[in-house]
Amino acid sequence: MSLCAQSQNAYTIKGKITDQNGEAIAGANVSIEKTSKGTFTNSNGDYQLYLNQGDYTLAITSIGYESELKKIKLDKNLSVNISLKTKEQDLQEITITSKEKSRNVSSVQMSVNTISAEVISKMPQLMGEVDVIKVMQLMPGVNQSSEGSSGYSVRGGTTDQNLILLDGSNIYNPSHLLGFFSVFNNDVVDNVTMYRSGFPPEHGGRLSSVLEVQTNSECDEVISGNLGIGLISSRAMLNGSTKDKKFYWSVAGRRSYADLFLLLPTQYEMPSTYLYFYDFNAKAVYKPTDNDVISLGSYLGRDRLGMDLLNFAYGNSLVYSQWAHKFNNKLSSTLNVDWSKYSYTLESDMYIDKITWDSSISSPSASYKADYFINPNNKLTLGTKTFYHFLTPGDVDLYDGNSYTIENYNALELSIFAQDEHTFYNDITITGTLRYNIFSNKSESSPKTYNTLDYRLGAVFPLKADNSIKLNVERNNQFIQWANNSASGSPMNVWFAASSNIKPQVLYSYSVGYFQNLNNDMFELSGEIYYKDYHNVIDFADNANLFASDIQGEVRSGKGKGYGIELMAAKTSGKLTGFINYTFSHSEYTIEEINNGKTYLSPYDRPHAVNVSVNYELNKKWDFSLLWVYYTGAPASFPESTITINGEVYNVFYERNTYRYLDYHRLDLSVNFTPKPEKKRWRSEYNVSIYNVYNRKNTWMYGFNEGEVTNYYLFGIIPSFTYNLNF
Amino acid sequence: MKRIIIFCLALTLSSCSEIIDVDINTVESSLVIYGHLSSDVERQRIEISKSVAYLSTGENTTISSATVSVNDIYNYSFVDSLGYYLSDVAFGAEKDVDYTLKVNYDNQEYTATTTLADTTCITGGHLVKASLMGIGYYTPFLTSSGLKDEEYWYVYFTYEDSILLEGLSDVSIIQASTLIGSEPYDYVPFLDMTNVNAMFFAEEDREMVEKMFDSTSTTQPKFLATGDTIKISMCTITEGYYDFITVLNQSSGSSNPIFGSGAVFLPSNISNDAIGYFGSLNQKHIDIVVE
């Protein structure tokens, strides 16, 4: 079967996967049964595999199509085209588990979840939007940082320990509208993948997770589009492709009008109050040859909020390009060049506080990665990635024309990586990654260069064809972090770098998992256990002033640890699909100058979290979704006594995070109705959702005043309606 | 600036709320000692009380049976006066002198030491009237000298008819080093406009302003009319005292997920695990008339 002596001849099998009408099927899974080998078709429906000589069974699966098996004898380069039949009964087969159906067991990658845009579109909505990040917050080990927030914690890590990528380029703040929306526009999102450990070798610089958001790069029509009208925002998208499919383009935009609907105070007038965001995505993909794909894309988003004399404006700007080239059947490469910037501007026009405060992080970067198949059982990946960060904590213009600048500085972040993935006897596969990092803080006040090494070791031990055990051991470094105590999507994120005063944060992480598929992959089960050991982890000193010019002076570092269990069960096909997962997660810090040196809980410690998602497709016109979310309330500090000074009463806090907010839970329901699903053009879709059906008053924050505790909550029950027009 | 942001967001993003029952540990009561010596010759004041459990209400926390004294080369005794301890004689703190506070209560001795910080000069002051959302408000404005030294920390007290207008949670504080700019910087925006409590609204807009404030809240607007006089004390303080007042400033807000935890941990320079601070003020004053 797949195990062959390396001296055997190796051949290429390639072909095209189409539907009954000859239309290419993109994203179809082409795997070799009973092995860990497999791939996906590209936007043209093409696939290619490189295997040793032998007899194999090709398994082709794709959402909405009948699976197909085909036996082949590989003793020369083969071209195998396969046509899939439309699946009448299970049209909405949904994948919400591991990255590839059937490969969730055999692949060495663990702690990963991929969700397609189609699945996201079926989820219940909040104020007319299903947000990519909020869907990922439902995955095991992932937790939202506060109600409605785009901030999330992975395995107890902080929100800035998550690397967030749009088509491979950094997004430094994924939040719109203080976190109620993310920067990702569903209209252009193709799929989302989150890695909680064992990151791909090209990614690093963060400790807890990597979130890859891939946008569409294909379209069946010369021009088509989508128009969505919701209660709080509207959006439009146009895309198209040339008939030869060599050129693809898309543009999309959103604009919110939240300020019309939020609960503005009514007891007095508030002229000129505004709160909105807008964003644009644009992308072009050109395939000059069968071996080259050139992509160019950009994102621009801006939030504006304020009133009369005070204005916030913040957002991300991103330009990226990619050239993927295949030299031959064994060697391919990817070159990325991009530039990402996050900035905010705070303007006060109030007389004595008239001030303009600009802060930003701007990072041009370039990366190059080459994949080389030494033989079908051994894949080598080599590459490098370089950032040059321009950090501007604050350029301040004062009302009298004077100005001052908190020290601007630059930092170089260079990584060289190598990974080898080798499949041994019985399809045991081991992946080893080394990543050598040079980080150089070039500030005048605290320059420092660090040379560090990341390593990642992963292994899969197949027990049978449908179950396996996986292991992962890794060490990662993080060199930049943000000064933000916020649990939600605060716009005022000041990124700052490791320096002579602040060492890079280091995480040693250990994971083991069991993976089982049942009933021909209809059910996917997994269980993972992890342990995390943090060094130089940072937190902010008691009473830290994050508006201070010397942010480093407010930072303290020490040790931390986390451990947990993640259980997941998913039904991936049939009319009824969905998943249930449970996470136990513990996270704590011990930092000498915080909490009197006593160990304290991280704000992201969540002993128990449960997510239940169910989707039922009654027929092509109607489908229904249910979502129930539960997690233990976040750790918090409560005052334990009060004192009176000068006639004023003050709360006295003694220890950090010894209490918890109320447990969080809510139920969401959603109905999608497509009156004429068979129409490709001018197809209308309606969505009615109810967020927080039983009106749970989930805590956003507590207020402590005069011996009372006030629970502030953002959302009660929220119905919403959205109309989508596909044309 | 932080407060102005919170204020605006609070207006813009009003959330719902309800009073809830929460179990909070009952901690042992601690002695609370607070006071400062002024450079002005006057009867100095120390207040002594006890902390109470957060969920308890209505307890009298005042301590009236303590023995209080401040020593330099002299020994100043303090006597109980309706919940405060006043020095038996008027005196003013002087530079380069260490003042030691001693409090004896319940067979325990509590001590703290302070030294007067250097001073600066007020060179002028006036009120500027501006408008926010159609509502007139006054901003007091000072000019002074000596501000460019990063060793200076300031607190500003405002009085109207000899009545102190704000508590420590509201007073404006400035660390001079944060004001250092590329150009000479010779003024202090003494009343931080980010502090809602410290705003002086125009008397003619009283009706509109009062609608904005919950009448039961401890935060109430202050009004000025033409002809009114306010007195401003610009006080140089030590870094430690500045830190203490800063924390009291921070504690006036509640926890907020946007701006982080509301938990604040009070520093103290009092021995024997007492809560509070014993500081000193090097004061300069100016009277400003509303024109």
Side-chain angles (χ1 to χ4, degrees), chain A residues 570-604:
Chain A
K571 183 172 182 294
T572 61
S573 60
K575 282 179 172 289
L576 183 70
T577 57
F579 63 85
I580 177 170
N581 60 54
Y582 167 80
T583 302
F584 167 81
S585 173
H586 176 79
S587 179
E588 66 180 38
Y589 295 150
T590 307
I591 298 174
E592 190 175 349
E593 294 179 61
I594 296 178
N595 203 38
N596 294 318
K598 292 170 63 177
T599 298
Y600 62 96
L601 291 175
S602 148
Y604 304 106

Short mmCIF file of all heavy atoms in Angstrom, two decimals, chain A residues 570-604:
data_model
loop_
_atom_site.label_atom_id
_atom_site.label_comp_id
_atom_site.label_asym_id
_atom_site.label_seq_id
_atom_site.Cartn_x
_atom_site.Cartn_y
_atom_site.Cartn_z
N ALA A 570 -18.73 15.59 16.70
CA ALA A 570 -19.38 16.29 15.60
C ALA A 570 -20.07 15.30 14.67
O ALA A 570 -19.57 14.19 14.44
CB ALA A 570 -18.36 17.11 14.82
N LYS A 571 -21.22 15.69 14.18
CA LYS A 571 -21.88 14.93 13.11
C LYS A 571 -21.75 15.79 11.86
O LYS A 571 -22.23 16.93 11.82
CB LYS A 571 -23.35 14.69 13.46
CG LYS A 571 -24.08 13.84 12.43
CD LYS A 571 -25.47 13.47 12.92
CE LYS A 571 -26.17 12.56 11.89
NZ LYS A 571 -26.46 13.25 10.63
N THR A 572 -21.09 15.22 10.87
CA THR A 572 -20.66 16.06 9.76
C THR A 572 -21.49 15.90 8.50
O THR A 572 -21.27 16.61 7.53
CB THR A 572 -19.20 15.75 9.41
OG1 THR A 572 -19.11 14.38 9.02
CG2 THR A 572 -18.29 16.00 10.59
N SER A 573 -22.41 14.96 8.48
CA SER A 573 -23.21 14.81 7.26
C SER A 573 -24.63 14.39 7.63
O SER A 573 -24.92 13.99 8.75
CB SER A 573 -22.56 13.79 6.32
OG SER A 573 -22.48 12.53 6.96
N GLY A 574 -25.52 14.51 6.65
CA GLY A 574 -26.92 14.23 6.89
C GLY A 574 -27.71 15.50 7.03
O GLY A 574 -27.16 16.61 6.99
N LYS A 575 -28.99 15.35 7.15
CA LYS A 575 -29.84 16.54 7.31
C LYS A 575 -29.56 17.24 8.64
O LYS A 575 -29.67 18.45 8.75
CB LYS A 575 -31.32 16.13 7.26
CG LYS A 575 -31.85 15.88 5.86
CD LYS A 575 -33.30 15.48 5.93
CE LYS A 575 -33.90 15.40 4.53
NZ LYS A 575 -34.06 16.72 3.92
N LEU A 576 -29.25 16.43 9.63
CA LEU A 576 -28.94 16.99 10.94
C LEU A 576 -27.42 16.98 11.14
O LEU A 576 -26.80 15.91 11.13
CB LEU A 576 -29.62 16.17 12.04
CG LEU A 576 -29.45 16.68 13.46
CD1 LEU A 576 -30.24 17.97 13.66
CD2 LEU A 576 -29.91 15.64 14.47
N THR A 577 -26.84 18.13 11.29
CA THR A 577 -25.40 18.21 11.52
C THR A 577 -25.16 19.09 12.75
O THR A 577 -26.04 19.82 13.19
CB THR A 577 -24.67 18.84 10.32
OG1 THR A 577 -25.24 20.12 10.07
CG2 THR A 577 -24.79 17.97 9.09
N GLY A 578 -23.95 19.02 13.24
CA GLY A 578 -23.63 19.89 14.36
C GLY A 578 -22.51 19.33 15.20
O GLY A 578 -21.85 18.36 14.82
N PHE A 579 -22.33 19.93 16.34
CA PHE A 579 -21.25 19.47 17.22
C PHE A 579 -21.57 19.85 18.65
O PHE A 579 -22.39 20.74 18.93
CB PHE A 579 -19.91 20.08 16.79
CG PHE A 579 -19.85 21.58 16.89
CD1 PHE A 579 -19.54 22.23 18.07
CD2 PHE A 579 -20.13 22.37 15.77
CE1 PHE A 579 -19.48 23.61 18.15
CE2 PHE A 579 -20.08 23.74 15.84
CZ PHE A 579 -19.76 24.37 17.04
N ILE A 580 -20.92 19.15 19.53
CA ILE A 580 -20.94 19.52 20.95
C ILE A 580 -19.51 19.39 21.44
O ILE A 580 -18.82 18.44 21.08
CB ILE A 580 -21.92 18.63 21.76
CG1 ILE A 580 -21.86 19.00 23.26
CG2 ILE A 580 -21.62 17.14 21.57
CD1 ILE A 580 -22.96 18.34 24.08
N ASN A 581 -19.08 20.36 22.19
CA ASN A 581 -17.73 20.25 22.74
C ASN A 581 -17.69 20.74 24.17
O ASN A 581 -18.55 21.53 24.60
CB ASN A 581 -16.69 20.96 21.86
CG ASN A 581 -16.95 22.45 21.72
OD1 ASN A 581 -17.10 23.15 22.71
ND2 ASN A 581 -17.04 22.91 20.48
N TYR A 582 -16.74 20.23 24.89
CA TYR A 582 -16.53 20.60 26.29
C TYR A 582 -15.06 20.92 26.49
O TYR A 582 -14.18 20.21 26.00
CB TYR A 582 -16.94 19.46 27.23
CG TYR A 582 -16.46 19.67 28.66
CD1 TYR A 582 -17.15 20.52 29.52
CD2 TYR A 582 -15.29 19.06 29.12
CE1 TYR A 582 -16.70 20.73 30.81
CE2 TYR A 582 -14.84 19.27 30.42
CZ TYR A 582 -15.54 20.11 31.25
OH TYR A 582 -15.08 20.33 32.53
N THR A 583 -14.79 21.98 27.22
CA THR A 583 -13.40 22.36 27.52
C THR A 583 -13.26 22.60 29.01
O THR A 583 -14.05 23.34 29.60
CB THR A 583 -12.99 23.63 26.77
OG1 THR A 583 -13.16 23.43 25.37
CG2 THR A 583 -11.55 24.00 27.06
N PHE A 584 -12.26 21.98 29.59
CA PHE A 584 -11.80 22.35 30.92
C PHE A 584 -10.50 23.09 30.73
O PHE A 584 -9.59 22.59 30.06
CB PHE A 584 -11.59 21.12 31.80
CG PHE A 584 -10.82 21.43 33.06
CD1 PHE A 584 -11.46 21.98 34.15
CD2 PHE A 584 -9.44 21.23 33.12
CE1 PHE A 584 -10.75 22.30 35.30
CE2 PHE A 584 -8.72 21.56 34.27
CZ PHE A 584 -9.38 22.08 35.36
N SER A 585 -10.39 24.27 31.28
CA SER A 585 -9.18 25.06 31.05
C SER A 585 -8.79 25.80 32.32
O SER A 585 -9.62 26.44 32.96
CB SER A 585 -9.44 26.07 29.93
OG SER A 585 -8.36 26.95 29.79
N HIS A 586 -7.52 25.68 32.66
CA HIS A 586 -6.98 26.40 33.82
C HIS A 586 -5.78 27.22 33.37
O HIS A 586 -4.95 26.74 32.59
CB HIS A 586 -6.56 25.42 34.91
CG HIS A 586 -5.91 26.10 36.09
ND1 HIS A 586 -6.63 26.76 37.06
CD2 HIS A 586 -4.60 26.25 36.42
CE1 HIS A 586 -5.79 27.28 37.95
NE2 HIS A 586 -4.56 26.99 37.59
N SER A 587 -5.69 28.45 33.86
CA SER A 587 -4.59 29.32 33.49
C SER A 587 -4.25 30.22 34.65
O SER A 587 -5.13 30.87 35.23
CB SER A 587 -5.00 30.16 32.27
OG SER A 587 -3.97 31.02 31.90
N GLU A 588 -2.97 30.28 35.00
CA GLU A 588 -2.57 31.08 36.17
C GLU A 588 -1.20 31.71 35.93
O GLU A 588 -0.41 31.24 35.12
CB GLU A 588 -2.52 30.19 37.42
CG GLU A 588 -1.43 29.12 37.34
CD GLU A 588 -1.38 28.24 38.57
OE1 GLU A 588 -2.46 27.93 39.11
OE2 GLU A 588 -0.25 27.89 38.98
N TYR A 589 -0.95 32.79 36.67
CA TYR A 589 0.32 33.49 36.58
C TYR A 589 0.93 33.61 37.98
O TYR A 589 0.21 33.72 38.98
CB TYR A 589 0.15 34.92 36.05
CG TYR A 589 -0.36 35.03 34.63
CD1 TYR A 589 -1.12 36.12 34.24
CD2 TYR A 589 -0.06 34.06 33.68
CE1 TYR A 589 -1.59 36.24 32.95
CE2 TYR A 589 -0.51 34.17 32.39
CZ TYR A 589 -1.28 35.26 32.02
OH TYR A 589 -1.73 35.38 30.74
N THR A 590 2.24 33.66 38.02
CA THR A 590 2.96 33.99 39.24
C THR A 590 4.00 35.03 38.87
O THR A 590 4.99 34.72 38.19
CB THR A 590 3.63 32.76 39.86
OG1 THR A 590 2.66 31.72 40.02
CG2 THR A 590 4.22 33.10 41.22
N ILE A 591 3.77 36.26 39.28
CA ILE A 591 4.65 37.36 38.91
C ILE A 591 5.00 38.12 40.18
O ILE A 591 4.12 38.55 40.93
CB ILE A 591 3.96 38.28 37.88
CG1 ILE A 591 3.65 37.48 36.60
CG2 ILE A 591 4.82 39.50 37.57
CD1 ILE A 591 2.87 38.22 35.57
N GLU A 592 6.26 38.28 40.38
CA GLU A 592 6.77 38.73 41.68
C GLU A 592 6.12 40.01 42.17
O GLU A 592 5.75 40.13 43.34
CB GLU A 592 8.29 38.90 41.59
CG GLU A 592 8.95 39.12 42.94
CD GLU A 592 10.47 39.16 42.82
OE1 GLU A 592 11.00 38.81 41.75
OE2 GLU A 592 11.10 39.56 43.79
N GLU A 593 5.97 40.97 41.29
CA GLU A 593 5.49 42.28 41.75
C GLU A 593 3.99 42.47 41.57
O GLU A 593 3.49 43.58 41.65
CB GLU A 593 6.24 43.37 41.00
CG GLU A 593 7.72 43.41 41.32
CD GLU A 593 8.43 44.50 40.54
OE1 GLU A 593 8.08 45.67 40.72
OE2 GLU A 593 9.31 44.17 39.74
N ILE A 594 3.30 41.40 41.32
CA ILE A 594 1.85 41.49 41.18
C ILE A 594 1.20 40.59 42.21
O ILE A 594 1.65 39.45 42.42
CB ILE A 594 1.41 41.10 39.75
CG1 ILE A 594 1.97 42.10 38.74
CG2 ILE A 594 -0.11 41.02 39.64
CD1 ILE A 594 1.65 41.78 37.30
N ASN A 595 0.16 41.08 42.83
CA ASN A 595 -0.58 40.29 43.81
C ASN A 595 0.33 39.82 44.94
O ASN A 595 0.20 38.71 45.43
CB ASN A 595 -1.25 39.10 43.11
CG ASN A 595 -2.45 38.56 43.86
OD1 ASN A 595 -3.21 39.34 44.42
ND2 ASN A 595 -2.61 37.26 43.88
N ASN A 596 1.29 40.66 45.30
CA ASN A 596 2.27 40.34 46.34
C ASN A 596 3.02 39.05 46.06
O ASN A 596 3.42 38.33 46.98
CB ASN A 596 1.57 40.25 47.71
CG ASN A 596 1.02 41.58 48.14
OD1 ASN A 596 1.67 42.61 47.98
ND2 ASN A 596 -0.21 41.58 48.66
N GLY A 597 3.19 38.76 44.79
CA GLY A 597 3.95 37.57 44.42
C GLY A 597 3.17 36.27 44.49
O GLY A 597 3.69 35.21 44.16
N LYS A 598 1.92 36.36 44.91
CA LYS A 598 1.10 35.14 45.02
C LYS A 598 0.54 34.77 43.66
O LYS A 598 0.18 35.63 42.85
CB LYS A 598 -0.03 35.35 46.01
CG LYS A 598 0.43 35.51 47.46
CD LYS A 598 -0.69 35.94 48.37
CE LYS A 598 -1.81 34.93 48.46
NZ LYS A 598 -2.84 35.38 49.42
N THR A 599 0.43 33.49 43.42
CA THR A 599 -0.15 33.00 42.16
C THR A 599 -1.61 33.46 42.05
O THR A 599 -2.35 33.44 43.03
CB THR A 599 -0.09 31.46 42.12
OG1 THR A 599 1.28 31.08 42.16
CG2 THR A 599 -0.74 30.91 40.86
N TYR A 600 -1.97 33.90 40.87
CA TYR A 600 -3.35 34.33 40.66
C TYR A 600 -3.85 33.83 39.32
O TYR A 600 -3.07 33.49 38.42
CB TYR A 600 -3.46 35.86 40.73
CG TYR A 600 -2.67 36.61 39.69
CD1 TYR A 600 -3.27 37.04 38.52
CD2 TYR A 600 -1.31 36.87 39.88
CE1 TYR A 600 -2.54 37.73 37.55
CE2 TYR A 600 -0.59 37.56 38.93
CZ TYR A 600 -1.20 37.99 37.77
OH TYR A 600 -0.48 38.66 36.82
N LEU A 601 -5.17 33.77 39.22
CA LEU A 601 -5.78 33.25 38.00
C LEU A 601 -5.69 34.26 36.87
O LEU A 601 -5.85 35.46 37.09
CB LEU A 601 -7.26 32.93 38.24
CG LEU A 601 -7.57 31.75 39.16
CD1 LEU A 601 -9.08 31.65 39.39
CD2 LEU A 601 -7.03 30.46 38.58
N SER A 602 -5.44 33.75 35.69
CA SER A 602 -5.52 34.60 34.51
C SER A 602 -6.99 34.96 34.29
O SER A 602 -7.88 34.20 34.63
CB SER A 602 -5.00 33.81 33.31
OG SER A 602 -5.66 34.19 32.13
N PRO A 603 -7.25 36.12 33.71
CA PRO A 603 -8.65 36.46 33.43
C PRO A 603 -9.29 35.50 32.44
O PRO A 603 -10.50 35.52 32.26
CB PRO A 603 -8.57 37.87 32.82
CG PRO A 603 -7.18 38.29 32.89
CD PRO A 603 -6.32 37.17 33.35
N TYR A 604 -8.47 34.66 31.81
CA TYR A 604 -9.00 33.73 30.81
C TYR A 604 -9.10 32.31 31.35
O TYR A 604 -9.27 31.37 30.57
CB TYR A 604 -8.14 33.78 29.55
CG TYR A 604 -8.04 35.18 29.01
CD1 TYR A 604 -6.88 35.93 29.16
CD2 TYR A 604 -9.14 35.79 28.41
CE1 TYR A 604 -6.81 37.23 28.69
CE2 TYR A 604 -9.08 37.09 27.95
CZ TYR A 604 -7.90 37.80 28.09
OH TYR A 604 -7.84 39.11 27.64
#
